[in-house]
C-alpha cells in the first residue's frame, strides 16, 4: 500500500568508422486552414490528401540555424539522414529515412536502417554502385551533413548507421526546455482538426464501469492530440433518441402528471426509474402500446412529449457532468438527437448514388467482405445506429471539416464501425487508400474484469456504478493517509485533495497502462500499491523529486536562468536521453492511438531517475546546480505526462 504518503501543494554489432558532426535542423508546423460550411444535402466527395507523419519539412534551408529548437529529436535525426540519402542515391526519389531509437547500451542513441532496403532496390535495377548493404551504410554515413546534434557515427552489421548524440547538444536542448517550457517539446502532427468521440452513455441510465475505459482512453487521446497542436472536437455521442424514450415518457406521465415539478429528487434513482419503465413495457401490453405511440408523438414534435424528453435528458446530463467533473474530463455533447434532422438527406444522397437497396422491407447497403448488410432504414421506417453514425460521419467531414475522426468504444462494436467506414469510402466521403486523410479510426478496448475473471459486477450481479467505484478509490486512499497519521500534520483539505488525486489517478493509470485491446482485471489493492508500475509509485516519485529541490534551498527558477546543465555521468546521460525522447513518444502514442506507450515511457523515466539519484549525489555535490536542473527537467516531463493521462500530480510526501 501507500508506504509513503503524499499531499498536494501548488507547483512550485561492430563500429569501425567514426565521424563527428555539428549542426541542427528544424521542423515547422503548417498554418491552420479556414473552415467552411456545406449544406446537409450537398453530399460532396471529400478530397484525399496524404496524412503524413513522416520526417519531411519544407526545404533544406529550414534546418539551418536556431540550433536550440529541439522539438522531436527523432525527426531531427531523420531530417539529417534525409539529406544524406538524397546525396547518396540522388536518382532515387522520395526515399524516406528509416530512423529508430537504439536500445540503451547498444552502439548508439539512434539508428538509420535504410541500407538493406536500398541495396535490394538498387540491385533489382541492375546497379553495381555498391557491393553490399554495409557499403550503402558507409556511404550514408559519409554523406551526413555537419550538425551539432551528432557526436559520432558508426556502421554496424548489414549497414545499420548508428548515431551518438552530442552530450553538449543534449544538455543545451534540455536547458532550453527548462527556460522556454515543456510545450516547446510538443510534437507537430500534420493534421489540424480531429474529432474524438468517446464516453457516450445512454440517457436515463447511470454511468457504470463499462463507461470507464471509453471515458479515460478518449480523454487521454484528446489531451495528447491537443498538446500536439491539433484542434480537437471532444464529442459525447450520448444515446438521447430512440424507442426507449416512449416508455420513459409514459412512465413519467403516470408518476408525475405535472412534469414541470419533476427533478432528480422526485425521480430518485434514475437507473431504478429506467428499470421500472422497462418492466411496465415488457409486462403491460396497454402500456407498451401507449409507449410506442409516445415515440411517434415525440418524433412528431408534440410539445408535451418534447418537454418530458428534455426533462429526462437534463436530469441525466447533470449526473453525467458530476462524474466528468470528478475525472476532470471535458466533453461537448452532440447526441443522437442532434443528427436526427440530417438523416433523411444523407440517406437520400446515398440512395441517389445507388448504394441503398430494398431488402426484406428494410433499406440496406450491401458491402463486400461482410455477410450481413448495413441496415440504414428499418422495415418499420425507423432509423437505427447505422443511420445516425453515417450521418454523424457525414456531418463531421462536411460541416465540421475534420481530418481525423476517432471513435472510442469497446471491441464489440468493431464490425459495426468497419461497415460504416466501408460505406463512407464507397460513397466517396473517405479515401480508399491507407494513410490518406480525411480518415477514420475505431479505438477498440477490452473488458474490465473482476478477480474471478468475469465481467466486473457487484455481488448482486449488477454492473458497478462508476460513481461508486470512484468513491471507493478515494475512500481507500484517504484511509491509508489517515492510518499513517497524516491527518495530524495536514489540513483536511490537503488530505481530501491528496486522496482524490491518488485514488482517481490509480484508477485511470491501471486502465491506461494496459494495451487497450486487452481485458484487464480491476483490483484496488494492486492499483493503490506504491511499488511497481502504478500511479501511486509514479506520484510518489514526482513528489520525491520536488522534495529534493525544496531541500536544496535553491531557487530553481533562478537556476534555470543562470545555471549550466551537463550530462557527464553515464546515469545523467541515460536520464537526459530519455527526457529528450518525450516528444517522439507522445507522437507515437498519438499516431497509434495507444496511451500505454506514454505510460511505459513515464514508468521508465521514473526508473531512470531512481538510478540517477542512487548513483549521483545531488545536494552538496560539486555538480549540485546541474543535477538540480536535471531533477527539475524530470519533474516537468513527469507533470506533462500526468496531465496527458488526466492524473493530478502531488508535490509533497
Amino acid at each position: 500500500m501507500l508506504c509513503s504518503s503524499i499531499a498536494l501543494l501548488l507547483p512550485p554489432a561492430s563500429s569501425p568508422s567514426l565521424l563527428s558532426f555539428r549542426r541542427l535542423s528544424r521542423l515547422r508546423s503548417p498554418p491552420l486552414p479556414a473552415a467552411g460550411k456545406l449544406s446537409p444535402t450537398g453530399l460532396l466527395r471529400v478530397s484525399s490528401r496524404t496524412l503524413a507523419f513522416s520526417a519531411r519539412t519544407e526545404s533544406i534551408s529550414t534546418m539551418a540555424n536556431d540550433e536550440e529548437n529541439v522539438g522531436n529529436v527523432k525527426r531531427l535525426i531523420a531530417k539529417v539522414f534525409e539529406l544524406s540519402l538524397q546525396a547518396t542515391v540522388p536518382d532515387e526519389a522520395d526515399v524516406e529515412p528509416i530512423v529508430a531509437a537504439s536500445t540503451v547500451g547498444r552502439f548508439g542513441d539512434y539508428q538509420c536502417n535504410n541500407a538493406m532496403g536500398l541495396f535490394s532496390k538498387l540491385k533489382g535495377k541492375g546497379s553495381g554502385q555498391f557491393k553490399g548493404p554495409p557499403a550503402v551504410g558507409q556511404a550514408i554515413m559519409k554523406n551526413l551533413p555537419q550538425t551539432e546534434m551528432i557526436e559520432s557515427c558508426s556502421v554496424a552489421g548489414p549497414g545499420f548507421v548508428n548515431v551518438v548524440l552530442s552530450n553538449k547538444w543534449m544538455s543545451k536542448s534540455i536547458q532550453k526546455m527548462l527556460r522556454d517550457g515543456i510545450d516547446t517539446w510538443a510534437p507537430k502532427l500534420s493534421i489540424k482538426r480531429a474529432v474524438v468521440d468517446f464516453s457516450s452513455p445512454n440517457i436515463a441510465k447511470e454511468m457504470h464501469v463499462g463507461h470507464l475505459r471509453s471515458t479515460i482512453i478518449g480523454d487521454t487521446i484528446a489531451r495528447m492530440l491537443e498538446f500536439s497542436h491539433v484542434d480537437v472536437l471532444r464529442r459525447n455521442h450520448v444515446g438521447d433518441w430512440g424507442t426507449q424514450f416512449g416508455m420513459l415518457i409514459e412512465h413519467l406521465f403516470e408518476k408525475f402528471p405535472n412534469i414541470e415539478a419533476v427533478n432528480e429528487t422526485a425521480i430518485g434513482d434514475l437507473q431504478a426509474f429506467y428499470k421500472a419503465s422497462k418492466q411496465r413495457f415488457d409486462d403491460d401490453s396497454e402500456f407498451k402500446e401507449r409507449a410506442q405511440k409516445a415515440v411517434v408523438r415525440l418524433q412528431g414534435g408534440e410539445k408535451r412529449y418534447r418537454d418530458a424528453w428534455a426533462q429526462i435528458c437534463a436530469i441525466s446530463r447533470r449526473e453525467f457532468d458530476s462524474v466528468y467533473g470528478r475525472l476532470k474530463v471535458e466533453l461537448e455533447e452532440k447526441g443522437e438527437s442532434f443528427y436526427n434532422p440530417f438523416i433523411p438527406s444523407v440517406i437520400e444522397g446515398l440512395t441517389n448514388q445507388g448504394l441503398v437497396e430494398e431488402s426484406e422491407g428494410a433499406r440496406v447497403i450491401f458491402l463486400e467482405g461482410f455477410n450481413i448488410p448495413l441496415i440504414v432504414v428499418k422495415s418499420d421506417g425507423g432509423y437505427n445506429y447505422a443511420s445516425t453514425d453515417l450521418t454523424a460521419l457525414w456531418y463531421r467531414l462536411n460541416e465540421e471539416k475534420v481530418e481525423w475522426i476517432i471513435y472510442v468504444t469497446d471491441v464489440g462494436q468493431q464490425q459495426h464501425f468497419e461497415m460504416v467506414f466501408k460505406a463512407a469510402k464507397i460513397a466517396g466521403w473517405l479515401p480508399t487508400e491507407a494513410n490518406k486523410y480525411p480518415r477514420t479510426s475505431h479505438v477498440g478496448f477490452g473488458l474490465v474484469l473482476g478477480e474471478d475473471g468475469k465481467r466486473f459486477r457487484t455481488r448482486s450481479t449488477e454492473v458497478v456504478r462508476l460513481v461508486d467505484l470512484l468513491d471507493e478509490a478515494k475512500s481507500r486512499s484517504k484511509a491509508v493517509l489517515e492510518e499513517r497519521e497524516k491527518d495530524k500534520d495536514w489540513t483536511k483539505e490537503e488530505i481530501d485533495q491528496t486522496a482524490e488525486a491518488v485514488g482517481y489517478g490509480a484508477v485511470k493509470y491501471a486502465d491506461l497502462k494496459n494495451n487497450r485491446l486487452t481485458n484487464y482485471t480491476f483490483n484496488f489493492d494492486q492499483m493503490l500499491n506504491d511499488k511497481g508500475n502504478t500511479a501511486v509509485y509514479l506520484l510518489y516519485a514526482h513528489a520525491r523529486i520536488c522534495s529534493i529541490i525544496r531541500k536544496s534551498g535553491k531557487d530553481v527558477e533562478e537556476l534555470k536562468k543562470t545555471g549550466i546543465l551537463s550530462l557527464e555521468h553515464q546515469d545523467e546521460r541515460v536520464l537526459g536521453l530519455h527526457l529528450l525522447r518525450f516528444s517522439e513518444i507522445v507522437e507515437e502514442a498519438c499516431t497509434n492511438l495507444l496511451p500505454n506507450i506514454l505510460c511505459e515511457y513515464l514508468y521508465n523515466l521514473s526508473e531512470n531517475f531512481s538510478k540517477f539519484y542512487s548513483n549521483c549525489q545531488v545536494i552538496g555535490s560539486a555538480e549540485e546546480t546541474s543535477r538540480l536542473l536535471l531533477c527539475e527537467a524530470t519533474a516537468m516531463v513527469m507533470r506533462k505526462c500526468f496531465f496527458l493521462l488526466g492524473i493530478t500530480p502531488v508535490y509533497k510526501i
Side-chain angles (χ1 to χ4, degrees):
M1 284 297 177
L2 293 163
C3 296
S4 299
S5 303
I6 29 192
L8 290 166
L9 287 178
L10 289 175
S14 61
S15 51
S17 303
L18 296 174
L19 294 176
S20 295
F21 302 86
R22 294 283 184 269
R23 196 169 70 197
L24 175 64
S25 63
R26 177 178 183 178
L27 295 179
R28 298 185 184 271
S29 180
L32 290 174
K37 279 281 183 180
L38 289 180
S39 163
T41 57
L43 297 171
L44 302 181
R45 186 174 296 270
V46 182
S47 63
S48 301
R49 294 159 289 173
T50 302
L51 180 60
F53 290 105
S54 69
R56 293 187 176 277
T57 52
E58 300 90 342
S59 66
I60 295 175
S61 63
T62 61
M63 93 177 253
N65 300 314
D66 196 5
E67 59 188 31
E68 294 180 324
N69 184 9
V70 181
N72 185 315
V73 179
K74 184 177 177 181
R75 282 183 176 270
L76 297 177
I77 294 293
K79 180 59 188 178
V80 174
F81 275 103
E82 181 182 343
L83 297 175
S84 173
L85 288 165
Q86 290 171 1
T88 303
V89 283
D91 296 332
E92 297 296 324
D94 299 323
V95 178
E96 295 284 348
I98 304 171
V99 173
S102 302
T103 305
V104 175
R106 299 288 290 179
F107 304 114
D109 302 321
Y110 288 87
Q111 187 177 79
C112 177
N113 301 325
N114 284 84
M116 290 182 67
L118 263 181
F119 177 74
S120 297
K121 187 176 182 180
L122 293 170
K123 186 178 180 181
K125 293 182 177 181
S127 172
Q129 182 180 359
F130 301 103
K131 293 184 178 180
V136 179
Q138 291 286 346
I140 293 172
M141 182 180 70
K142 291 176 182 177
N143 283 320
L144 282 168
Q146 292 294 305
T147 168
E148 190 182 23
M149 283 188 295
I150 300 175
E151 183 64 39
S152 63
C153 278
S154 63
V155 176
F160 300 135
V161 183
N162 297 297
V163 169
V164 176
L165 297 179
S166 159
N167 280 13
K168 182 179 179 181
W169 180 84
M170 290 170 62
S171 300
K172 287 172 62 178
S173 301
I174 296 170
Q175 196 151 2
K176 179 164 174 54
M177 182 277 289
L178 284 167
R179 291 196 304 268
D180 297 345
I182 187 66
D183 288 351
T184 58
W185 280 6
K188 294 180 176 63
L189 307 185
S190 42
I191 63 163
K192 302 161 189 69
R193 174 174 269 204
V195 162
V196 181
D197 181 328
F198 65 105
S199 193
S200 306
N202 289 317
I203 293 293
K205 291 185 178 181
E206 287 188 287
M207 293 181 72
H208 54 77
V209 70
H211 296 109
L212 180 67
R213 300 206 75 183
S214 177
T215 304
I216 290 174
I217 294 169
D219 181 53
T220 293
I221 289 172
R223 285 170 180 260
M224 291 191 300
L225 288 169
E226 288 161 347
F227 177 59
S228 305
H229 308 288
V230 177
D231 176 21
V232 177
L233 307 182
R234 293 162 163 260
R235 291 290 181 254
N236 197 5
H237 191 88
V238 297
D240 65 349
W241 200 251
T243 55
Q244 76 272 21
F245 279 95
M247 69 183 191
L248 288 167
I249 290 170
E250 280 302 314
H251 189 57
L252 186 69
F253 287 161
E254 284 188 347
K255 294 194 68 176
F256 307 99
N258 179 17
I259 65 165
E260 293 180 359
V262 173
N263 54 36
E264 294 98 324
T265 304
I267 287 183
D269 187 335
L270 196 61
Q271 187 78 2
F273 183 85
Y274 182 92
K275 287 183 178 180
S277 66
K278 182 68 165 65
Q279 190 72 42
R280 290 291 313 280
F281 186 86
D282 292 340
D283 297 344
D284 187 332
S285 59
E286 185 180 338
F287 178 88
K288 182 177 182 179
E289 185 178 350
R290 292 203 311 271
Q292 291 170 336
K293 290 179 179 178
V295 175
V296 177
R297 289 175 173 174
L298 171 64
Q299 294 179 346
E302 285 192 31
K303 185 177 185 304
R304 185 167 180 249
Y305 289 83
R306 283 280 178 150
D307 289 347
W309 169 77
Q311 190 77 308
I312 293 169
C313 289
I315 293 171
S316 275
R317 194 173 292 119
R318 285 191 285 272
E319 292 198 9
F320 298 159
D321 288 345
S322 175
V323 173
Y324 296 140
R326 289 196 193 195
L327 294 173
K328 293 182 171 60
V329 170
E330 294 183 0
L331 280 156
E332 181 184 0
E333 182 179 311
K334 268 191 169 68
E336 293 172 355
S337 63
F338 176 85
Y339 301 104
N340 201 59
F342 298 93
I343 293 177
S345 60
V346 171
I347 301 299
E348 180 185 0
L350 294 171
T351 303
N352 291 340
Q353 289 182 269
L355 301 182
V356 180
E357 303 178 35
E358 296 284 337
S359 177
E360 299 181 11
R363 300 173 68 188
V364 306
I365 300 175
F366 288 100
L367 301 167
E368 185 179 350
F370 296 93
N371 56 14
I372 56 173
L374 184 67
I375 300 173
V376 294
V377 181
K378 296 185 294 184
S379 57
D380 62 3
Y383 300 128
N384 59 6
Y385 287 132
S387 321
T388 305
D389 286 334
L390 275 169
T391 302
L393 176 56
W394 177 89
Y395 185 91
R396 291 162 176 175
L397 290 169
N398 292 286
E399 294 290 332
E400 295 179 318
K401 305 295 185 184
V402 299
E403 297 155 286
W404 197 4
I405 306 170
I406 300 163
Y407 299 82
V408 186
T409 75
D410 64 87
V411 292
Q413 298 186 49
Q414 182 175 342
Q415 185 184 66
H416 165 74
F417 281 106
E418 286 178 349
M419 294 177 74
V420 169
F421 300 162
K422 183 74 173 286
K425 290 178 180 179
I426 296 173
W429 302 354
L430 296 170
T432 55
E433 303 92 335
N435 296 324
K436 293 283 186 98
Y437 71 94
R439 65 185 291 193
T440 53
S441 297
H442 176 241
V443 176
F445 53 82
L447 298 173
V448 181
L449 305 177
E451 293 185 59
D452 59 359
K454 299 178 181 178
R455 190 187 292 265
F456 190 39
R457 296 182 181 274
T458 64
R459 291 184 178 179
S460 59
T461 72
E462 295 288 336
V463 293
V464 179
R465 298 195 319 159
L466 189 47
V467 67
D468 292 339
L469 183 148
L470 295 175
D471 284 344
E472 179 74 7
K474 180 178 177 179
S475 176
R476 287 182 178 231
S477 178
K478 187 174 183 179
V480 173
L481 294 173
E482 291 173 343
E483 284 173 11
R484 297 189 58 78
E485 299 185 340
K486 287 300 175 183
D487 53 332
K488 294 181 179 179
D489 303 322
W490 297 349
T491 66
K492 288 184 178 180
E493 184 180 15
E494 284 180 323
I495 290 285
D496 192 68
Q497 288 179 335
T498 302
E500 188 172 289
V502 174
Y504 297 172
V507 170
K508 288 186 177 185
Y509 189 81
D511 186 319
L512 294 169
K513 74 176 183 179
N514 298 286
N515 186 308
R516 56 177 169 76
L517 293 171
T518 63
N519 300 334
Y520 87 96
T521 301
F522 194 97
N523 183 300
F524 274 121
D525 290 337
Q526 291 179 4
M527 289 178 183
L528 293 168
N529 197 324
D530 70 339
K531 293 181 175 60
N533 190 9
T534 66
V536 182
Y537 167 76
L538 296 168
L539 289 167
Y540 168 75
H542 173 261
R544 182 187 185 194
I545 296 171
C546 295
S547 175
I548 293 166
I549 295 171
R550 285 196 302 271
K551 288 178 180 178
S552 74
K554 299 293 178 63
D555 183 346
V556 73
E557 295 303 318
E558 187 62 29
L559 292 183
K560 291 178 184 179
K561 300 174 186 176
T562 61
I564 301 298
L565 187 148
S566 63
L567 302 171
E568 300 303 323
H569 191 284
Q570 176 61 20
D571 291 325
E572 292 175 324
R573 191 183 190 284
V574 169
L575 178 58
L577 178 61
H578 196 81
L579 291 171
L580 286 166
R581 286 178 174 166
F582 169 70
S583 179
E584 66 200 55
I585 290 295
V586 175
E587 181 173 357
E588 182 184 353
C590 278
T591 54
N592 292 290
L593 302 170
L594 291 172
N596 62 293
I597 291 173
L598 182 61
C599 292
E600 182 181 4
Y601 170 86
L602 176 57
Y603 177 67
N604 289 335
L605 175 60
S606 180
E607 293 287 273
N608 285 336
F609 179 84
S610 294
K611 187 175 180 182
F612 151 75
Y613 188 66
S614 296
N615 297 329
C616 300
Q617 180 184 345
V618 177
I619 299 175
S621 68
E623 301 86 359
E624 180 179 271
T625 295
S626 173
R627 289 175 179 174
L628 283 172
L629 289 172
L630 192 54
C631 288
E632 175 66 7
T634 303
M636 288 175 66
V637 172
M638 290 189 77
R639 283 194 289 274
K640 183 55 70 172
C641 288
F642 286 139
F643 173 79
L644 297 177
L645 298 171
I647 296 172
T648 301
V650 295
Y651 295 83
K652 175 183 170 184
I653 52 178

